[in-house]
Amino acid sequence: MNSEDRPHGGSPEPRREPLPPMAPPAPAQPAGDTRAAGEGRESGRQRLGAALWPPRVTRAQLIVAVLLFVLGLGLAIQVRSNSDDSALRGARQEDLVRILDELDNRTQRLQDEKQRLEEQRTELENSSDQAEEARKQTLQKEQQLGILAGTVAAQGPGVTLTIADPSGTVEPDMLLDAIQELRAAGAEAIQVNGARVVANSYFSGTAGNVEVDGRSISAPYTFEVIGKPQDLEPALNIPGGVVQTLEKEQATATVVRSEKIVVDALRPAERPDYARSSSQ
C-alpha cells in the first residue's frame, strides 16, 4: 500500500516482527550418567572410610589412653579391697573387740616366743660347754612337747571354768567353742572332767550326753586350764563370748582365777603310723 491508499490523517500501521523459533526439548539423560553419579557417591564413602580407618593415633592420644587405663585399674583394685573389708565392717562391736583382743594376745605370745628363742641362742653362743647347754635345752623342749601332747603332767597359774547345765541344753559344740576360745587366749594345758584335751581331741554326743575322745562326761563340766589368767578370763567373758552364749541356753558359767592349776590327766604316747623324724 502506497501513501495514496492510506487514509488521510491516519497513523501508520505498526510493523509486526516474526516470533523466534522454539528451542527443542532437552534430550533425556542416558542411563550411564546415573550410574556414574552413583559411583561418585560410593567413592565418597570409600574415601571417608579410608580417612577413618585405620585410625591414626597421635602420641598425645596414646598417653591419655594409658593414663585412663591406669586410673581404671586403680579404681578396680580399690573397689575389690573395699569389698574384702565388707565382712569386718558389718561385724558387731563385740565381735570386733574379740577379734582385736585375740590378735593382741597372739602378737604378744609371738613376741615372747621370739625373745625366748633369742635368749636360748645367746646362751648357746656364750656357754663354755655348748654340748651340755644344748642337752639341757633339749630336755626342756621335750618337757614342753610332752605337756602339749598330754603325756606329761603340768601345773601353773590359770583358771577354772565350771559350766552348770541343769536343763541339759549344752551341746558338745558349745564345749568345743570354749576350748577353742581358751586356746586362742594362750592356754597351754587343758583337762575337762578328768579328760586331757590335746590337739586331736574331739567332742561328740548330744546335749546331756557329751563325750570327750569317746569318754562320757556329765554336767557340771569343769575346765582346768593352765595359762595366763589375765588373758584367759577376759577371753571367756567378752561380749558375745562363751559365758554369754551359755547363758542364752539357760546354763551358767563361772570363771575363777588361780595361781596353781594342776593338770594331771595323761594320754598314752602314741607312735605315728607314717611320720618319721627327719634331719632335713
Side-chain angles (χ1 to χ4, degrees):
M1 181 182 295
N2 51 27
S3 59
E4 288 86 357
D5 297 335
R6 294 176 182 171
H8 182 70
S11 60
E13 185 177 356
R15 185 178 179 180
R16 298 179 180 176
E17 296 292 339
L19 296 175
M22 297 180 61
Q29 186 176 4
D33 296 340
T34 305
R35 186 169 55 253
E39 292 176 353
R41 290 193 298 270
E42 186 66 25
S43 62
R45 295 196 189 101
Q46 293 177 354
R47 289 195 299 271
L48 179 60
L52 296 177
W53 188 264
R56 296 175 176 84
V57 181
T58 64
R59 182 178 180 182
Q61 292 173 340
L62 182 60
I63 293 175
V64 171
V66 172
L67 292 177
L68 291 176
F69 173 76
V70 173
L71 178 60
L73 182 61
L75 291 176
I77 294 174
Q78 182 67 28
V79 171
R80 182 175 181 180
S81 62
N82 291 338
S83 62
D84 293 340
D85 297 339
S86 59
L88 291 178
R89 291 181 178 178
R92 298 177 303 173
Q93 182 178 1
E94 52 268 24
D95 294 335
L96 295 175
V97 172
R98 177 175 59 83
I99 293 172
L100 184 60
D101 289 341
E102 291 180 358
L103 291 176
D104 292 340
N105 293 335
R106 291 176 184 175
T107 301
Q108 184 60 43
R109 290 197 299 273
L110 290 175
Q111 292 290 343
D112 295 341
E113 181 69 13
K114 177 184 175 182
Q115 182 178 358
R116 186 181 63 82
L117 293 175
E118 289 178 348
E119 291 175 354
Q120 290 181 356
R121 183 188 64 184
T122 303
E123 291 176 0
L124 286 174
E125 292 175 349
N126 298 334
S127 175
S128 58
D129 190 352
Q130 295 185 359
E132 178 64 23
E133 184 64 27
R135 189 186 66 84
K136 184 173 66 174
Q137 292 190 10
T138 301
L139 291 176
Q140 292 178 353
K141 194 67 175 180
E142 181 181 358
Q143 290 290 325
Q144 294 174 358
L145 294 177
I147 292 174
L148 296 177
T151 59
V152 177
Q155 66 178 16
V159 298
T160 300
L161 169 64
T162 304
I163 301 175
D165 184 22
S167 302
T169 57
V170 176
E171 298 282 349
D173 59 346
M174 297 179 184
L175 300 181
L176 181 59
D177 289 341
I179 295 293
Q180 299 291 4
E181 198 72 44
L182 290 168
R183 284 175 173 169
E188 297 176 352
I190 305 174
Q191 69 180 25
V192 180
N193 287 27
R196 189 70 171 264
V197 178
V198 293
N200 59 347
S201 295
Y202 63 92
F203 286 73
S204 59
T206 58
N209 186 22
V210 180
E211 295 182 356
V212 180
D213 296 333
R215 173 183 173 182
S216 179
I217 61 175
S218 58
Y221 306 107
T222 303
F223 292 66
E224 294 171 294
V225 187
I226 296 177
K228 188 176 181 180
Q230 294 83 353
D231 294 337
L232 297 176
E233 182 182 6
L236 297 172
N237 287 306
I238 62 174
V242 173
V243 174
Q244 286 192 359
T245 301
L246 292 171
E247 289 177 350
K248 293 179 181 178
E249 300 296 332
Q250 307 302 319
T252 58
T254 57
V255 184
V256 178
R257 298 187 184 186
S258 177
E259 292 299 324
K260 183 179 181 181
I261 298 291
V262 177
V263 176
D264 53 4
L266 303 180
R267 295 175 63 94
E270 298 179 358
R271 182 176 180 179
D273 294 331
Y274 305 100
R276 296 292 183 268
S277 61
S278 175
S279 59
Q280 297 180 354

